[in-house]
Every structure is written in C-alpha cells, then in structure tokens.
Amino acid sequence: MNLLNKKWLNLQKLNVKYKENKILIKNEDKKHKFLIYPKLFKATGEKIINLKINGNLIKGTGCVLKILNRKKEIIASCGINSFFAKKYNFLKYYIIVIYVPGESEVEIDNISLSSKGEYEYKNFFKSDTLLVTPGYPSLENKYNTAFVHTRVKAYKEKGIDLDVAIINSEPGIKEYSFEGIKVFKGEYKDLREILKQKRYKKILIHFFDQNYANVLDSVDTTETKIYVYLHGAETLYRDWPKICSNYFMPQTEIDSNLEQFFKIKDFYIKKYNELDNVKWFFVTEWTKRRCEELLNIKFKNSEILPCLIDTNLFAYEKKNINLRKKIFVLRKFDNISSYAIDIDVRIILELSHREIFKDLEFDIYGDGNYFDTLVEPLKEFKNVHLHKGFLTHEEIRRVHQTHGIGLFATRFDSQAVSSCEAASSGCAVVSSKNPGVMQFFDEKWGILCDTENFVEYANTIEYLYNNPEEFLKIAKLQSDSVQEKFGYKNTIEKELNIFEQEKDKQKLNINKVEKPILSVIIPSYNVEKYLYEGVMTLINHNLAHKMEILIINDGSKDNTAKIADSIIQKQKLNEIVKIVNKENGGHGSTINVGIKMAKGKYIKIMDGDDTVDSKELEKLIQYLENEEVDIVLNNYIEDFASLNYFNVKNIYDNLIPGLKYNFDDLCYKNYGFKQWGPILACSTYKADLLKTNGIKLLEKCFYVDMQLNTFISIFCKDIKYYPLNIYRYLLGQQNQSVSRKSYAKNYKDHERVTVEIIKISEDYAHKISNIRKKYIEERIIIPMITTQYYICTNYKKNGKAFREFDKQLKKLKNYYNHLEVMTKGIKFHRITNGYLIIFNPLLIKMNNILKKIIRRK
C-alpha cells in the first residue's frame, strides 16, 4: 500500500508540499512536529507489518516514520531509507505518523505499508564475518557509536566484506543504509536465528554483555573466532557511580539489585575469558588494567587496540591564531553526568566574568533528553550558539576547521573518540585530568584540568587566548600524538594482522575416544532447527573424548536424520556421536533404546531442542571420573529464547556440594529436597542404576519423565550435588509438552502416566521405606493427579475427560479421597458428573466476585 496516495493530516502547521508523488516537508521550528496518515489501520493477526520509507535528507536530522497504538504509545519506528518488519500478536488498531525534528527539511519519495510472511535472514547475511553492536549511526542519530562506523568504513576500503547487525531489545527488524554501509537491526532472538542459520568464521562484538553471551551460549561457535571489543563502560560497570549518575544529583549507589546484576556480568566475562576462541580488544592499557582490578582476573588472550581515528578525514590543519577565540562543545546531552556538560557550562559562565569573554565565541552541538535543561544558563549570551542536533563526520570536520579549541570536560573518559578527532584536526583540546584521558593526552602539555575545577579550565582557555604561539604548539603536539596512537597503522592494520595470524587457529579437535565416562542420550523428533546446536554444545570442550553421544531419531518427518548424519561426518565425531534411526515410538521409547545402548559409566538425557553449557559440562565429567553415587545433581537454566532471558534454577542449593547423601534422608521435609527431587534436567544417572533395575518407560506417550522420576525415587541409594549450571532448557515453544495446547491435546497421555506411576509405587511399596513412600506420594503422585484434574476442568471444554479420569481414580480410594485432591471444585464437578465443566471459566469468575464481596463486608 502506497502511503503517498493521500494528503497527511498537518495539525502542527508544518511546511508541506506535494509534488510528483513526493512530499517535501520543512520544519522551521526548533521543536519536533509530525504529520498523521488519515486512516486508522486494523492489524491482520498473524501477519507481519512491513514499513518502508525512502527519501533524501536536505537539512538537519532525518525524519522518522512511527507506528502508534490506540493509547498513542510508539510501538515501532523507521528512519529514512530503511525497512521495518514486526509481528504484533495483540495489536488491534494503529496509526502511522511522520516525526520531523526541529530545523529539518526532508524529501520523501516512497512510503509503503504491506503485510508479509517471515523475514528471510539469508537475503541480508552473506559474508563470513559478522559485526554485532547495540547501536550504529543513522540519519536520525549520527553519533550513535560513530567510532564503530569509522572502523567498518576502513574495513570496506580494504575490500573486507562483513555483515553489520545492530542487536538490542528494541522490538522489530530493520534494514537501512548509512554512508554506504548496509545495516540490519534486530532483537536478541534474531541474532540466535542468524547464528543458527549461518556459521561465521569471525564474529566481532562491540559492547559485550550477558545478552550477547546468552545468545552465543545457545549456538554453535566451535569453529568461530570471537573478537570482543571493550570500550569501557561494559567492563568497568563496577565504576557505575562514576559512569552513570545523573546531573545535579548525589552519586548513584550500587544497591543489592545492581550488585546481583553485576554478578551475572562478572560470571560471563570470567567464563568467556576461559574460552580459547575468544580474544579481547581493549581501547587503552588503562581500561584493561582497571577492568582486571575491578573483576579480580587476568585476561589471558587480549590486545590493546585503540579506536580508529580517520586521519584522512580529520587531517591536521594548522590553525589561524584567531581561531583560538572560537570554542566548540560536541557532546551527548542525555542525563548522564559523566559527559560533564554541566562543567562545560560552568566554564563558560566563569569566562563570562572575564574581560576576554566578549572576544570569544562558543558553539555547542549535540542532542539528548537533557539538552534544554543543561544549556539553560547559556541562552542569555549572544556569543554562545546552541545547535540542537547530531552531525555527520563531514559536518564535524567542518566544525573543526572553523574552531580552534575543543572543550571536552569529562568525568569518565566519555566520548574520547570525539575529542581525539578534534585533536587530530589541529584543534587544541581542553579536557580533564583522569586516567583514561591521560592515555592519549600528555599531562605535561598543561591542557588537562582537575575534573570539577571549572576555574582551572577557564584559566587554561584564557592562557591559550593570551599565548597564541603556545596554542599552536599544543594543538600540533596533540595532533601528532593522536595520529600516531589512533591512526590506521596502530588500529586497523594491527587488527587485520591479528585476524590473518589467527584465521586457521579455531578448529574443532576431538581426540580419539576412550571408554566413555558419560553417555548422553538425545531423544530426537522433528528437531532439525535445534539438534546441531545441542550436539555441538556437548562436545565444545576439552573432555569430549570421554563421552559418547547417542542421537535416537524417533521417526522424524523433517531433516533431523540428515542433520545427525552431517554431525557424524564432521571431523572425527563419528567416534563420539552415534545415531539410531527408529520408527516413531515416543519419548519413552528413545530413552529405552538409549539406556540399552549406553556404554558410559554415567548417563545423561538431553532433549533434542535443548543445549548445555559446554564448560560446565566439562567440569561435571571431571567429577564423574572419580564418582560412584547413583545420581549426581546439578542446577539447570530456563532459556526463554524469544525474550533472550535465562533463569538459573538452584533447586538443590540447600545441599552441601560434594557431600554424599542417602536418598531416604533427603525425603524428610525441610532436611532434603525442596519442591522437587531428582528431575531429568538436573540429573546424571549411574548407568548401572538404570540398567540393572530394568527401568523401561511407556512408549508412544508424553510425560514419561515423571515415570522415570518415580523409578529413580524407588531405586536410588545415594546422591551428590555439584552447583554447576549445565542444562539449558529451551522454553516458550508452542509445541512443548508442557504448553497449554499440548496438555489439552495429550491429556490421555498424562492420565496414562499418572495411573502408571500409581501402579509402580504400589508394586514396589513393600521394598521401600515409609518415608520414601510418603515422598513419592506427596512429590510425584498427588501433583500428577491434581494436574490431570486441572487439565480436565480448565483445558477441556466438556466433561468427558473429567469423567474418564475420575472413574479410573475412584478405583484407587487412597488417592480419590485425598485431602489435596478433594478440592471444592472437584467435589462440585463430581456431584454434577462433569457436565458443568463447560461453564468452569464463568463459575471461577463468579466465585472470585463473591469472595471480594465477602471481604468487603
């Protein structure tokens, strides 16, 4: 649908002209304004909204196309010459507006709206190198990690092709082009999908954090070299009070929530520091030292690699001495005090009391949510010019040419690249005396001031004003220093040499298999999208030769078998990975086959759509070599892929690590297991425990893990716990057996397993202790019964399922009349023989209303 086919609503008196299928929009005001498309759009359910806008920025900052819901909340945005795609499951209606920044002019020649299927990543991602960053410049925000863009342009000039991806939490997919560089924008889940579909030789990550690490943990990087570029804040986060405090407020304190967040970041940096395929690039030696000091680690594979300054664009030009009177400030104006704009303002105010002020001229450039607040004291001065907006590199170069002094006060080395660009161009940069800045500007030059001492900065500017020759001398010294440290030779050339030296290092190398310590059974049915990643996480460590991996393909109808074959053919993996192709028999049948085949001392079961943490698994194998207990317990991780959110489940953290426990002793309330006993995701079983006791699970049936838990609870003698976060349980898929849809569809399987575990417990009742019987009843049987009733009354629309299960359970009077089973709702449906279950949602609602009325009385 072409959105230029109608005149847009112009409620704010923008200057708008329609001409030959184009719109020319001019906003002469300083505040942003907008146009509204004259239609309320209705969302199309499962379809994806696609927006595209093309045009030319004539002046100022690029306009943005935005989608607003009925609450006038912005739910999507799309800049000039970009494409946007997003599926909205709960959106009913929306409107589209064009946001036009102040003092901007733009020509738009195409705006289209369409509704299509899934986004095809393969159409964009074609290189063998991927660059990942949380931000990248655009016409709407030209400063956004501009130093990354400088690096990418340098790669391109050397003929190096790479895919550029902005990955953050902002919803939707975008494509756009900035100064000749094609850019993809997506969410963390998109990065997962990209890395599953394409195996990159190199991944370059700027601003590494736990979100990127969580994605990398879930995909195969066994033959990928990962280069992590650390710019400061993402590793110096324990200096948070200095970095992120707000203006005019007390310094931020690190509270318990922030400390917990930092511990997660600590964990991932320390973990990735141990990986052989990861190399760290620090911008300065001080940044590295400070990071090691804060985290109490040593980076084992790192280099100092400064950000590139384009010394051709920002070439040195000797200044006319009169330019020392022209001073500029170029900053980000968000409410983050480390940018120290308040100091810059105080410096100008201090100079306003001096005789030289009337001979000075100031230009202040930048944008952000605190711009007007910060510059408020300067609005009265005629020789202070405020330019709200972002500049391109070319526009910044022109600022350098027309000014002599760059004022860059900073509380934590903020926007160091911008100050170095000014110095490279020949401007004298007045900045702050802190460790980061002193990495590239020598203190002895006399232009670094005590951070908060605005009088000292003013004195320095006055000194340069009164000593023009010294102004020229310092400007040249700074330029020479910056061009040497941040020029092509010490940045890009050094980086490319590192790439060349390491290009063949990252190879998967599995030694010849020994008698396995651990057999991993992988039940696999239609898991073509997940199997490869899962298997590769199992072997991406130094003890893979002490394992065997058994892929039990349960009659898959997709390419699961082909994926398994491709894994076996990979290097020497045929000595470790084996595949069994069998007719479909259900999850239980695959485990039965795997137990029979397994040759390892211990057995672990991993579903074909899950993964493990490779390094944590390696630690487990080390323990298992000297272990003899029936079960080894660990933690597991809930992996919500669509949200890129993970949650470590420490369900055995009341047990002392490495201490052997008798199973019976753990059955006592408060003294052992908390909510759960040994569950599949957390358990590694002694092979003899499963083999000698003849454990066999139901076939062609879901939910058999509860049957396995019952057998384990009967036969297990002893247990140990090691706090390793090994198993990554993928959640959020609609077809999972624990989803509402699956419960409703497979309710008979859940009923079958529930009845079976009751029979098993009765068959072995005479062989186990009373405390174990009680544990099986309270922790397994009763929860299964109540869950089955819940399925029958909430997920099934009629009472047939309820009557069928209730009839079976009636034969088992101990459980039929159990207090936890006999709820008011179950009693009611038994009296009405389940015929009123169709009204269950209404009955629950009425009951809740009655409770509220009673409470009010």
Side-chain angles (χ1 to χ4, degrees), residues 36-241:
I36 305 173
Y37 189 77
K39 178 181 177 181
L40 181 65
F41 293 95
K42 186 175 182 179
T44 54
E46 293 297 311
K47 295 288 186 179
I48 294 175
I49 294 174
N50 290 269
L51 272 177
K52 190 173 184 180
I53 177 172
N54 293 98
N56 298 299
L57 178 62
I58 299 171
K59 176 186 174 185
T61 305
C63 71
V64 181
L65 200 64
K66 297 191 176 186
I67 298 177
L68 280 66
N69 61 20
R70 287 191 293 182
K71 296 179 181 179
K72 297 182 181 179
E73 297 168 333
I74 298 170
I75 59 173
S77 61
C78 182
I80 297 177
N81 299 323
S82 64
F83 161 86
F84 171 86
K86 176 78 172 75
K87 179 191 277 188
Y88 295 95
N89 294 325
F90 304 105
L91 182 66
K92 290 185 177 181
Y93 297 95
Y94 61 94
I95 61 172
I96 296 177
V97 303
I98 301 175
Y99 167 101
V100 187
E103 299 180 332
S104 295
E105 186 176 352
V106 65
E107 181 183 68
I108 301 174
D109 52 39
N110 176 57
I111 300 178
S112 61
L113 173 70
S114 61
S115 189
K116 296 181 180 178
E118 295 294 330
Y119 179 84
E120 293 286 343
Y121 299 98
K122 64 182 179 181
N123 293 335
F124 185 95
F125 295 93
K126 299 178 180 179
S127 174
D128 64 359
T129 301
L130 174 67
L131 184 144
V132 180
T133 172
Y136 201 83
S138 64
L139 290 176
E140 308 91 72
N141 188 346
K142 299 167 188 173
Y143 289 172
N144 196 352
T145 63
F147 49 87
V148 178
H149 177 58
T150 300
R151 197 172 227 115
V152 172
K153 286 199 299 181
Y155 296 149
K156 187 176 181 180
E157 288 170 5
K158 292 294 291 184
I160 298 171
D161 187 30
L162 76 166
D163 298 330
V164 178
I166 304 170
I167 301 295
N168 55 39
S169 58
E170 181 186 327
I173 289 172
K174 294 180 186 176
E175 288 181 17
Y176 69 92
S177 181
F178 182 76
E179 295 183 350
I181 303 300
K182 292 182 178 179
V183 182
F184 170 91
K185 155 69 188 73
E187 301 171 63
Y188 298 107
K189 65 179 181 180
D190 297 304
L191 181 58
R192 284 194 186 212
E193 197 58 39
I194 292 160
L195 295 181
K196 283 183 178 181
Q197 293 185 17
K198 187 170 179 59
R199 312 292 164 190
Y200 282 97
K201 292 181 180 178
K202 293 191 290 290
I203 299 177
L204 320 179
I205 300 179
H206 290 265
F207 299 100
F208 178 81
D209 66 11
Q210 69 278 8
N211 291 305
Y212 290 145
N214 193 41
V215 172
L216 293 174
D217 279 356
S218 68
V219 298
D220 172 40
T221 58
T222 51
E223 296 188 1
T224 300
K225 188 69 181 181
I226 300 170
Y227 296 93
V228 181
Y229 298 74
L230 301 173
H231 301 278
E234 75 273 38
T235 50
L236 304 179
Y237 45 84
R238 289 192 174 276
D239 278 332
W240 181 274

Side-chain angles (χ1 to χ4, degrees), residues 7 107 172 308 415 426 459-460 573 642 669 699 711 754 777 828:
K7 286 191 175 183
E107 181 183 68
L308 171 69
Q415 287 190 276
N459 291 342
T460 302
L573 294 188
S642 61
K669 189 176 181 181
E699 302 199 355
F711 278 126
T754 301
E777 176 184 304
F828 174 80

Side-chain angles (χ1 to χ4, degrees), residues 37 393 435 517 696 742 751 786:
Y37 189 77
H393 272 145
I517 298 297
K696 189 174 182 181
S742 181
E751 177 186 291
T786 55

Side-chain angles (χ1 to χ4, degrees), residues 574-637:
N574 58 311
E575 296 190 24
I576 292 177
V577 182
K578 298 176 177 61
I579 181 171
V580 175
N581 293 307
K582 58 182 282 296
E583 292 184 4
N584 183 261
H587 195 254
S589 72
T590 61
I591 295 175
N592 293 337
V593 170
I595 291 172
K596 189 174 181 180
M597 285 184 62
K599 298 177 181 177
K601 177 182 176 184
Y602 278 88
I603 292 174
K604 192 166 188 64
I605 300 167
M606 183 185 86
D607 284 344
D609 55 357
D610 292 330
T611 58
V612 298
D613 184 298
S614 306
K615 283 297 180 181
E616 296 284 274
L617 179 64
E618 181 180 345
K619 294 174 186 175
L620 174 65
I621 295 171
Q622 291 173 333
Y623 286 126
L624 295 180
E625 287 192 84
N626 302 306
E627 200 53 82
E628 294 299 333
V629 293
D630 282 345
I631 296 178
V632 174
L633 293 175
N634 308 113
N635 308 325
Y636 79 100
I637 299 170

Side-chain angles (χ1 to χ4, degrees), residues 564-578:
D565 286 334
S566 72
I567 295 171
I568 290 173
Q569 298 306 317
K570 192 176 181 67
Q571 298 192 27
K572 296 180 181 179
L573 294 188
N574 58 311
E575 296 190 24
I576 292 177
V577 182
K578 298 176 177 61

Side-chain angles (χ1 to χ4, degrees), residues 628-812:
E628 294 299 333
V629 293
D630 282 345
I631 296 178
V632 174
L633 293 175
N634 308 113
N635 308 325
Y636 79 100
I637 299 170
E638 292 178 329
D639 183 7
F640 297 89
S642 61
L643 302 173
N644 196 45
Y645 169 76
F646 66 94
N647 181 35
V648 178
K649 303 291 286 186
N650 299 308
I651 58 178
Y652 309 111
D653 57 2
N654 59 321
L655 304 183
I656 299 172
L659 192 64
K660 184 167 74 172
Y661 290 88
N662 183 285
F663 190 95
D664 275 13
D665 295 342
L666 296 177
C667 293
Y668 290 99
K669 189 176 181 181
N670 300 322
Y671 284 90
F673 300 123
K674 294 190 286 188
Q675 183 180 3
W676 300 104
I679 62 173
L680 189 143
C682 299
S683 300
T684 304
Y685 311 101
K686 190 79 173 289
D688 288 346
L689 174 70
L690 302 180
K691 290 175 178 285
T692 59
N693 289 299
I695 292 175
K696 189 174 182 181
L697 304 183
L698 293 170
E699 302 199 355
K700 294 188 178 296
C701 189
F702 285 93
Y703 313 110
V704 293
D705 56 324
M706 296 306 295
Q707 185 190 7
L708 177 61
N709 292 347
T710 305
F711 278 126
I712 294 303
S713 301
I714 291 170
F715 297 121
C716 178
K717 293 177 183 153
D718 43 30
I719 279 179
K720 278 189 183 180
Y721 164 67
Y722 295 102
L724 303 173
N725 305 330
I726 297 175
Y727 197 99
R728 294 177 62 91
Y729 180 31
L730 186 65
L731 289 170
Q733 303 174 92
Q734 290 185 350
N735 60 345
Q736 283 183 300
S737 60
V738 292
S739 68
R740 176 177 181 139
K741 184 178 179 181
S742 181
Y743 272 134
K745 180 181 178 182
N746 302 302
Y747 76 97
K748 290 299 289 183
D749 285 353
H750 195 276
E751 177 186 291
R752 183 183 173 195
V753 171
T754 301
V755 172
E756 182 66 20
I757 61 176
I758 293 174
K759 290 180 180 178
I760 292 169
S761 66
E762 290 179 343
D763 289 343
Y764 287 93
H766 64 289
K767 293 185 177 182
I768 60 177
S769 64
N770 288 332
I771 187 61
R772 208 177 278 228
K773 292 176 193 173
K774 184 179 180 183
Y775 165 82
I776 293 171
E777 176 184 304
E778 292 181 351
R779 301 295 184 88
I780 300 177
I781 294 175
I782 297 302
M784 286 292 287
I785 291 172
T786 55
T787 299
Q788 183 63 22
Y789 272 126
Y790 188 84
I791 294 168
C792 294
T793 56
N794 289 272
Y795 297 167
K796 305 300 291 182
K797 293 182 179 180
N798 58 49
K800 182 182 177 183
F802 175 87
R803 289 189 292 275
E804 289 173 349
F805 178 63
D806 198 59
K807 183 178 179 181
Q808 287 209 60
L809 195 64
K810 197 169 186 178
K811 301 173 185 176
L812 306 165

Side-chain angles (χ1 to χ4, degrees), residues 161-362:
D161 187 30
L162 76 166
D163 298 330
V164 178
I166 304 170
I167 301 295
N168 55 39
S169 58
E170 181 186 327
I173 289 172
K174 294 180 186 176
E175 288 181 17
Y176 69 92
S177 181
F178 182 76
E179 295 183 350
I181 303 300
K182 292 182 178 179
V183 182
F184 170 91
K185 155 69 188 73
E187 301 171 63
Y188 298 107
K189 65 179 181 180
D190 297 304
L191 181 58
R192 284 194 186 212
E193 197 58 39
I194 292 160
L195 295 181
K196 283 183 178 181
Q197 293 185 17
K198 187 170 179 59
R199 312 292 164 190
Y200 282 97
K201 292 181 180 178
K202 293 191 290 290
I203 299 177
L204 320 179
I205 300 179
H206 290 265
F207 299 100
F208 178 81
D209 66 11
Q210 69 278 8
N211 291 305
Y212 290 145
N214 193 41
V215 172
L216 293 174
D217 279 356
S218 68
V219 298
D220 172 40
T221 58
T222 51
E223 296 188 1
T224 300
K225 188 69 181 181
I226 300 170
Y227 296 93
V228 181
Y229 298 74
L230 301 173
H231 301 278
E234 75 273 38
T235 50
L236 304 179
Y237 45 84
R238 289 192 174 276
D239 278 332
W240 181 274
K242 298 177 184 178
I243 299 172
C244 294
S245 293
N246 297 136
Y247 286 106
F248 317 121
M249 296 292 289
Q251 200 170 77
T252 303
E253 296 294 329
I254 298 176
D255 59 20
S256 58
N257 290 332
L258 208 52
E259 177 60 31
Q260 193 61 36
F261 176 63
F262 288 166
K263 284 181 179 179
I264 296 172
K265 295 172 80 71
D266 291 349
F267 168 79
Y268 273 115
I269 289 176
K270 291 176 181 179
K271 172 184 174 180
Y272 273 73
N273 187 42
E274 295 300 316
L275 300 183
D276 295 333
N277 65 323
V278 175
K279 192 177 194 73
W280 307 84
F281 289 137
F282 289 88
V283 290
T284 64
E285 182 64 40
W286 174 81
T287 307
K288 177 186 174 183
R289 288 199 310 268
R290 182 59 178 158
C291 181
E292 290 179 332
E293 179 184 333
L294 290 169
L295 300 181
N296 193 27
I297 63 171
K298 289 291 181 183
F299 285 91
K300 69 175 190 178
N301 188 9
S302 65
E303 293 277 355
I304 306 303
L305 192 69
C307 290
L308 171 69
I309 302 296
D310 188 339
T311 54
N312 292 321
L313 179 64
F314 301 110
Y316 172 75
E317 295 180 11
K318 185 176 180 179
K319 300 294 182 186
N320 183 302
I321 59 171
N322 287 324
L323 287 179
R324 75 192 190 285
K325 304 173 184 177
K326 296 196 67 176
I327 303 164
F328 76 92
V329 174
L330 179 66
R331 304 300 266 166
K332 186 177 181 181
F333 283 78
D334 289 343
N335 191 9
I336 301 173
S337 67
S338 58
Y339 289 104
I341 298 167
D342 60 326
I343 298 177
D344 293 333
V345 172
R346 290 183 188 278
I347 295 165
I348 296 172
L349 291 175
E350 171 63 24
L351 287 167
S352 73
H353 304 303
R354 304 187 183 190
E355 185 63 29
I356 68 167
F357 184 71
K358 61 186 177 183
D359 203 24
L360 299 179
E361 190 171 356
F362 299 85

